Amino acid sequence: DEWLTDTAGLNFESSLELEHILQADQVVNRILKLYDWSKNENVASFAPSISKLCKTIDYDKLYTSHHEVLKDTVLIKRGQASYIDPTGTKTYSFELNPEKF
């Protein structure tokens, strides 16, 4: 929980690697999807333990943090054509989304 709440208000570029922010975004997104999946009645019947565990997730806090702090913070840009990658499809870079800052 701390890594998520501690990121609010920090200068991401100096305190965290952009790749880590992107990974955190994906982890939180996966947890939110897991929570939604666990609410299905079929899941509760064939996997009651998982369903019960997922009910302990503070969905509202996680959803709010995800959309206010993490979502779309990091952009993935395709690289330029180069000698190593002539088509420019295998290289990429990360950058902060200027619309968020």
Side-chain angles (χ1 to χ4, degrees):
D1 287 344
E2 292 175 6
W3 62 266
L4 179 62
T5 55
D6 287 347
T7 56
L10 295 177
N11 180 352
F12 287 121
E13 204 163 24
S14 65
S15 61
L16 295 170
E17 294 292 325
L18 297 179
E19 293 89 347
H20 295 152
I21 297 168
L22 188 60
Q23 288 172 351
D25 177 25
Q26 294 302 309
V27 167
V28 171
N29 191 36
R30 185 68 57 125
I31 292 170
L32 292 172
K33 287 181 180 180
L34 178 65
Y35 178 85
D36 289 336
W37 173 79
S38 72
K39 291 176 67 176
N40 184 319
E41 290 179 22
N42 293 333
V43 172
S45 64
F46 74 80
S49 296
I50 293 173
S51 182
K52 183 178 178 182
L53 179 65
C54 290
K55 288 179 183 175
T56 64
I57 296 170
D58 187 348
Y59 182 86
D60 294 332
K61 181 178 179 181
L62 197 57
Y63 182 84
T64 302
S65 296
H66 181 248
H67 283 278
E68 290 178 1
V69 179
L70 293 173
K71 187 173 173 68
D72 299 328
T73 299
V74 178
L75 301 174
I76 302 173
K77 298 273 184 152
R78 286 218 182 252
Q80 301 289 332
S82 66
Y83 179 74
I84 297 171
D85 183 15
T87 61
T89 59
K90 295 180 175 43
T91 57
Y92 56 90
S93 64
F94 301 109
E95 63 182 52
L96 286 174
N97 184 352
E99 293 177 8
K100 298 269 292 198
F101 297 96

